Amino acid sequence: MASDTPGRDRRASDAKRLVADAYDRIAQPFREHTAGVVSARRQPYLDRLTERLDSSSRVLDLGCGSGAPSTAWLSDRYRVLGVDISRGQLEIARRKVPAASYVLGDMASVAFRPASFDAIAALYSTIHVPREEQPALLTRLHTFLTPGGRLFAVMGAKAWEGTEEDWLGMGSTMFWSHYDAQTNLSMIERAGFHVLRHDIEPDYIDDAGGAHLFVIAERPR
């Protein structure tokens, strides 16, 4: 029987290109949209993520976008490396948040040495990665962390995969792919993490009544 792997790879590549192109097209209006958002809900998680860090600590920000608002907050305090698949978003981030360093790439394949980072933030970003790639991604993130290092991830609360045309009324089609909250938590634990906190939090990007899973997890010492 022929393998479906080439077909899956093509579908994943097409989905990621859709995400990159969409964020490229809406880079500036999306930054303006998110920069003004009150991020009070995420602050307790950022505090928990970073409570053991000092100014020399290294933080990986996966899906950093244009740097607003979390990359800016992190880079004011720590040594931050942002990774994003959108060239347009990173061009803005480099101008607006120059204290951080940046890499253009796919978070599912970008490579770092083991124990390179003391914390990892992945806020509303893994939900753009095809879900069949997410278990391996989480295992890689576990490897990138130092023992005792923490992950703050914002993931799906309900299982869904698909696209939305004219997302946020900005003229771009966006792709999402995610499991339900319990599957996500089990996936994090199977990757070797210990979950410290998890909650379902309302969306901050729009008022459509959705929600996401907020997770703080730690690589055991």
Side-chain angles (χ1 to χ4, degrees):
M1 181 180 295
S3 172
D4 188 43
T5 298
R8 288 199 303 270
D9 291 345
R10 284 193 297 272
R11 289 193 295 273
S13 178
D14 289 346
K16 293 173 185 179
R17 178 46 50 198
L18 183 66
V19 171
D21 289 347
Y23 275 121
D24 282 349
R25 285 193 295 271
I26 67 172
Q28 186 57 46
F30 187 69
R31 178 184 172 83
E32 293 169 359
H33 183 81
T34 57
V37 171
V38 176
S39 57
R41 288 193 186 96
R42 76 177 64 179
Q43 193 59 50
Y45 300 90
L46 286 170
D47 291 341
R48 188 77 184 272
L49 174 72
T50 60
E51 63 185 355
R52 296 176 178 174
L53 304 186
D54 58 37
S55 60
S56 67
S57 298
R58 296 202 67 202
V59 179
L60 177 62
D61 190 355
L62 286 176
C64 63
S66 64
S70 298
T71 312
W73 186 89
L74 289 165
S75 66
D76 282 344
R77 295 159 175 81
Y78 313 106
R79 299 163 59 201
V80 174
L81 176 63
V83 174
D84 204 274
I85 201 170
S86 166
R87 188 180 302 274
Q89 294 260 49
L90 286 184
E91 288 175 353
I92 297 173
R94 290 188 175 102
R95 295 197 308 270
K96 298 293 188 178
V97 191
S101 300
Y102 299 98
V103 170
L104 175 68
D106 173 5
M107 73 173 71
S109 59
V110 67
F112 300 103
R113 291 191 300 272
S116 292
F117 299 97
D118 303 294
I120 297 174
L123 309 188
Y124 300 93
S125 56
T126 64
I127 57 178
H128 292 304
V129 175
R131 55 191 176 187
E132 63 268 19
E133 296 185 4
Q134 293 178 20
L137 169 60
L138 288 166
T139 298
R140 287 162 61 81
L141 299 189
H142 183 272
T143 302
F144 296 160
L145 279 170
T146 56
R150 292 180 179 176
L151 167 70
F152 172 22
V154 177
M155 308 175 76
K158 296 181 179 180
W160 190 75
E161 182 174 77
T163 59
E164 181 179 345
E165 296 184 3
D166 194 24
W167 182 50
L168 298 177
M170 295 181 183
S172 286
T173 300
M174 187 58 74
F175 168 83
W176 287 272
S177 182
H178 48 79
Y179 296 104
D180 62 274
Q182 188 54 56
T183 301
N184 285 327
L185 291 170
S186 298
M187 192 164 54
I188 289 170
E189 291 175 340
R190 286 197 302 271
F193 287 99
H194 173 60
V195 174
L196 301 177
R197 174 178 179 177
H198 63 89
D199 296 284
I200 304 297
E201 296 282 357
D203 278 335
Y204 81 102
I205 290 178
D206 56 41
D207 58 359
H212 285 81
L213 172 69
F214 282 42
V215 184
I216 298 288
E218 183 175 273
R219 176 179 176 176
R221 294 180 182 274

